């Protein structure tokens, strides 16, 4: 018996599913299709999926404390509301001096600060950076030189940040203190048979779950970087992972169909029975524009 199932949505498949997000306020799981571009929402009460077209590539969404979402678009960050109708606010530019870059992945930490990465759209230049947008809206560059930034995810104590450069098959660990991050070294490295490390999440025990792009699976790593479990999935390009539900014990996994002669599974959304629970999603409290 498999420990995964596909969430049905009338044959729709994502080009590049990413940005997995649990929103307790909406009792819903959100995720993006970066290149469609689109925003998806799965209502856990009905298991029905809604999908909204976006004006430009959308790399991530986070919950805003005052309602709605904040999205990381190609040209910057902006507020997004979908109820009662879709409204995307003006974008606040992040890298106006790098028109070939876009946002890729982002998430809030235990303080509500947003950590997000940028990358070259063509994936050829190491022009990406890791940013922190603080709870008061202050923004700082944490690290530079990324080809394809992914993650991030945080330890339950919020003392450690894990962040990936998929292009280098490397996951890094950073020590966190008072909004600052110091690179602590390499957490894990994928070999060619693993594919590329993509999106990540952390469970309540402090273990890190990593999606395998071109690896067709997700893996669980101990806090000291040892792989302890693997769950195979039928999609080849697994992209992101998040825990959802009232008890944070429902795992959802996104995937991509880009560059493939797609099967029914490539670009699908999966629910995986992994037997563990995750952490609460902390809304972003700061200004957007």
């Amino acid at each position: 018996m498999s420990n995964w199932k596909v969430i049905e949505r009338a044959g729709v498949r994502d080009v590049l599913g990413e940005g997995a997000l649990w929103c307790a306020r909406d009792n819903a799981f959100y995720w993006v299709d970066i290149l469609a571009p689109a925003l998806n929402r799965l209502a856990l009460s009905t298991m029905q999926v809604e999908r909204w077209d976006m004006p430009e590539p959308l790399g991530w969404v986070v919950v805003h404390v005052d309602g709605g979402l904040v999205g990381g678009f190609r040209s910057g960050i902006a507020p997004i509301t979908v109820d009662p109708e879709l409204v995307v606010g003006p974008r606040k530019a992040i890298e106006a001096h790098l028109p070939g870059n876009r946002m890729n992945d982002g998430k809030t930490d235990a303080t509500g600060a947003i950590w997000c990465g940028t990358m070259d759209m063509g994936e050829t230049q190491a022009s990406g950076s890791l940013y922190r947008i603080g709870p008061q809206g202050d923004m700082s560059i944490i690290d530079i030189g990324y080809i394809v930034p992914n993650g991030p995810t945080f330890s339950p104590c919020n003392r450690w940040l894990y962040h990936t450069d998929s292009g280098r098959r490397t996951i890094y660990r950073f020590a966190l203190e008072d909004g600052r991050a110091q690179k602590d070294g390499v957490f894990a490295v994928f070999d060619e048979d693993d594919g590329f490390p993509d999106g990540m999440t952390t469970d309540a025990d402090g273990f890190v779950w990593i999606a395998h792009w071109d690896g067709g699976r997700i893996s669980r790593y101990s806090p000291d970087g040892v792989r302890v479990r693997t769950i195979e999935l039928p999609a080849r390009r697994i992209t992101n992972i998040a825990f959802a539900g009232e008890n944070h014990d429902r795992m959802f996994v996104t995937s991509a169909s880009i560059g493939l002669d797609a099967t029914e599974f490539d670009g699908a959304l999966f629910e995986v029975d992994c037997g563990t629970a995750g952490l609460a999603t902390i809304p972003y409290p700061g200004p957007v524009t």
Side-chain angles (χ1 to χ4, degrees), residues 3 107 151-154 162 164 171 187 190 197-212 217-223 228-233 238-243 251-253 272-279:
N3 52 1
K107 195 172 297 180
T153 194
F154 310 90
Y162 305 93
T164 291
I171 303 106
F187 176 69
F190 277 23
D198 207 308
M200 301 183 287
T201 194
T202 310
D203 64 30
D205 296 318
F207 286 65
V208 178
W209 292 82
I210 304 174
H212 291 243
R217 57 195 184 272
I218 59 176
S219 291
R220 187 184 191 224
Y221 281 74
S222 66
V228 296
R229 187 181 177 193
T230 293
I231 298 176
E232 302 286 340
L233 292 167
I238 306 301
T239 55
N240 215 323
I241 313 165
F243 289 95
M251 176 185 277
F252 291 94
V253 177
V272 177
D273 181 8
C274 69
T276 188
L279 305 171

Side-chain angles (χ1 to χ4, degrees), residues 134-194:
Q136 288 76 45
D138 51 300
M139 185 168 61
S140 55
I141 297 177
I142 301 299
D143 200 15
I144 63 173
Y146 286 86
I147 301 171
V148 181
N150 263 305
T153 194
F154 310 90
S155 63
C157 62
N158 207 48
R159 290 179 54 199
W160 303 104
L161 159 71
Y162 305 93
H163 193 243
T164 291
D165 191 337
S166 300
R168 294 183 171 92
R169 289 192 165 99
T170 301
I171 303 106
Y172 302 101
R173 190 173 79 157
F174 293 75
L176 299 180
E177 184 176 4
D178 297 328
R180 300 185 300 273
Q182 179 68 43
K183 188 176 281 184
D184 185 64
V186 171
F187 176 69
V189 177
F190 277 23
D191 61 31
E192 191 169 346
D193 291 339
D194 292 325

Side-chain angles (χ1 to χ4, degrees), residues 11-222:
V12 175
R13 293 293 180 262
D14 294 314
V15 180
L16 182 54
E18 258 286 6
L21 172 72
W22 162 240
C23 179
R25 180 183 62 215
D26 298 346
N27 191 29
F29 172 77
Y30 287 89
W31 77 104
V32 304
D33 185 346
I34 296 177
L35 297 180
L39 172 66
N40 302 294
R41 179 173 69 184
L42 170 67
L44 264 61
S45 59
T46 63
M47 296 304 289
Q48 298 299 305
V49 176
E50 297 174 273
R51 184 174 171 96
W52 296 271
D53 292 337
M54 290 289 111
E56 62 182 54
L58 175 63
W60 51 264
V61 287
V62 299
V63 179
H64 195 277
V65 72
D66 292 330
L69 306 172
V70 179
F73 289 89
R74 177 177 182 176
S75 60
I77 65 171
I80 303 172
T81 57
V82 294
D83 298 313
E85 62 182 5
L86 174 66
V87 178
V88 178
R91 264 80 81 195
K92 179 180 179 180
I94 299 296
E95 293 182 336
H97 62 295
L98 295 172
N101 273 16
R102 67 164 174 83
M103 288 281 187
N104 193 52
D105 204 357
K107 195 172 297 180
T108 55
D109 67 12
T111 72
I114 301 171
W115 300 75
C116 54
T118 60
M119 61 174 281
D120 171 37
M121 284 280 288
E123 302 182 22
T124 59
Q125 306 296 318
S127 59
S129 296
L130 171 63
Y131 289 84
R132 178 184 182 270
I133 304 171
Q136 288 76 45
D138 51 300
M139 185 168 61
S140 55
I141 297 177
I142 301 299
D143 200 15
I144 63 173
Y146 286 86
I147 301 171
V148 181
N150 263 305
T153 194
F154 310 90
S155 63
C157 62
N158 207 48
R159 290 179 54 199
W160 303 104
L161 159 71
Y162 305 93
H163 193 243
T164 291
D165 191 337
S166 300
R168 294 183 171 92
R169 289 192 165 99
T170 301
I171 303 106
Y172 302 101
R173 190 173 79 157
F174 293 75
L176 299 180
E177 184 176 4
D178 297 328
R180 300 185 300 273
Q182 179 68 43
K183 188 176 281 184
D184 185 64
V186 171
F187 176 69
V189 177
F190 277 23
D191 61 31
E192 191 169 346
D193 291 339
D194 292 325
F196 298 85
D198 207 308
M200 301 183 287
T201 194
T202 310
D203 64 30
D205 296 318
F207 286 65
V208 178
W209 292 82
I210 304 174
H212 291 243
W213 175 278
D214 281 346
R217 57 195 184 272
I218 59 176
S219 291
R220 187 184 191 224
Y221 281 74
S222 66

